[in-house]
Amino acid sequence: MSDAAMKLVVVGAAGRMGQTLIRLIHSIEGVTLHAAIERPGSPFIGKDAGEISGLGANGIIIGDDPLAAFLHAEGVLDFTSPAGSIEFAGLAAQARIVHVVGTTGCSQEDDTKIAAAARHARIVKSGNMSLGVNLLSVLVQQAAQALDAADWDIEILEMHHKRKVDAPSGTALLLGDAAAKGRNIDLAAKSVRVRDGHTGAREAGTIGFATLRGGSVIGEHSVLFAGEGETVTLSHSATDRSIFARGAIKAALWARDKKPGLYSMLDVLGLSSH
Ligand SMILES: NC(=O)C1=CN([C@@H]2O[C@H](COP(=O)(O)OP(=O)(O)OC[C@H]3O[C@@H](n4cnc5c(N)ncnc54)[C@H](OP(=O)(O)O)[C@@H]3O)[C@@H](O)[C@H]2O)C=CC1
Ligand SMILES: O=C(O)C1=N[C@H](C(=O)O)C[C@H](O)C1
């Protein structure tokens, strides 16, 4: 593996995560900002990426041509939108580079396209890049396995800022998936994502989701195991977006010498059980 700093492109550079990534790349050894991209027509095209992120000018001008940016880069950090991430995965595959995807709200069809791109790109995708949430997912899987479905109901509660556009959050779904693995059930078949009106009594063995939106909340997640007379709650609070950015940069460095494929943050953190 090269000793030189890994050349990274930040797509969605002017977004909340884009700006956080640009600040963090500046302060972490072993990585360097190669280019910053926004969509064509964005008011941020032509602006200095360092200035936009509050660092002061760094000479990297935000552009709108990802293909040109990826050509001489080694990795892409992507917290954008499902359509954007599909496009960037295809371009990362063409350039044979690392693609770290934090974007949430992807459909099954979107995920299939990203998995196809992973035949040539090294893709790390996760609904949450933080160490804390990935550790929590391991604990949730263990608790779900230990607590009998007939006696313990699983409910997942999340809250995010008012500008978030997808629900349930990628993290809530990741935690739901961990719970479903612990119970050896299919999450899609057993999840209850909305309740309204006369719903009838709760069906045993299902996994419920509840979503709150408001203010500037960065990310709150709780998994409740509700039994007769007692409740076990496992939770995570994010108080700074740098936890996600740090995880994404760690993922890019980890994937630098890996074979093409689709990886998760559990793989990066060595928490994977397979
Ligand atoms: N996995 C994780 O750990 C985390 C995941 N996320 C996820 O990351 C995503 C972004 O979050 P956040 O930064 O808060 O959102 P923002 O809306 O603040 O930023 C997204 C940025 O991406 C840009 N963008 C969207 N689509 C494209 C495209 N096709 N080409 C180029 N640029 C594009 C947006 O531009 P425009 O405004 O013009 O659309 C915007 O500048 C969300 O899906 C969020 O859930 C967030 C935090 C952590
Ligand atoms: O949109 C956000 O802000 C976040 N999105 C991710 C999610 O959907 O879980 C991760 C984090 O909670 C912040």
Side-chain angles (χ1 to χ4, degrees):
M1 188 171 49
S2 162
D3 283 340
M6 185 175 187
K7 292 193 278 181
L8 299 176
V9 179
V10 174
V11 290
R16 283 175 287 274
M17 280 304 299
Q19 291 183 41
T20 310
L21 285 161
I22 288 166
R23 287 194 295 273
L24 212 68
I25 289 171
H26 182 73
S27 71
I28 287 185
E29 247 181 74
V31 288
T32 183
L33 183 65
H34 175 71
I37 297 293
E38 270 293 338
R39 69 166 92 240
S42 161
F44 295 101
I45 304 297
K47 301 240 158 78
D48 186 286
E51 269 180 8
I52 293 296
S53 67
L55 275 179
N58 63 6
I60 303 287
I61 303 304
I62 299 181
D64 63 2
D65 183 355
L67 184 58
F70 291 9
L71 217 55
H72 299 292
E74 295 171 271
V76 182
L77 305 180
D78 173 2
F79 293 72
T80 57
S81 60
S85 293
I86 290 167
E87 180 196 343
F88 299 134
L91 297 177
Q94 278 182 47
R96 303 285 199 267
I97 59 177
V98 171
H99 184 200
V100 178
V101 185
T103 305
T104 58
C106 293
S107 65
Q108 228 170 51
E109 204 185 345
D110 297 338
D111 279 335
T112 303
K113 290 180 185 160
I114 291 172
R119 286 201 288 267
H120 300 296
R122 284 152 278 156
I123 300 184
V124 181
K125 183 171 188 290
S126 176
N128 196 303
M129 299 281 172
S130 76
L131 170 61
V133 159
N134 283 282
L135 175 64
L136 178 68
S137 76
V138 174
L139 301 176
V140 165
Q141 183 173 340
Q142 287 173 359
Q145 191 168 4
L147 300 173
D148 201 319
D151 299 325
W152 295 86
D153 300 321
I154 303 179
E155 293 283 312
I156 300 176
L157 175 65
E158 57 111 332
M159 181 162 186
H160 283 87
H161 55 93
K162 62 186 172 195
R163 294 193 173 78
K164 184 161 178 63
V165 295
D166 56 307
S169 68
T171 309
L173 294 170
L174 176 160
L175 294 170
D177 204 44
K181 276 203 184 86
R183 290 250 162 112
N184 210 10
I185 56 171
D186 175 26
L187 179 64
K190 286 289 182 187
S191 60
V192 177
R193 290 170 60 150
V194 183
R195 291 191 183 102
D196 188 24
H198 185 87
T199 59
R202 193 183 194 286
E203 188 190 327
T206 53
I207 297 178
F209 290 86
T211 299
L212 307 179
R213 292 285 176 267
S216 59
V217 174
I218 292 179
E220 296 288 325
H221 292 90
S222 295
V223 181
L224 293 93
F225 294 84
E228 287 298 330
E230 56 182 334
T231 300
V232 177
T233 305
L234 299 176
S235 66
H236 180 267
S237 292
T239 52
D240 190 325
R241 286 190 173 83
S242 63
I243 61 171
F244 312 127
R246 193 168 295 114
I249 293 168
K250 191 181 181 85
L253 286 166
W254 176 88
R256 197 179 191 185
D257 65 354
K258 297 291 176 293
K259 292 197 185 94
L262 183 59
Y263 302 97
S264 74
M265 265 325 266
L266 291 177
D267 297 319
V268 174
L269 297 169
L271 295 171
S272 181
S273 53
H274 57 258

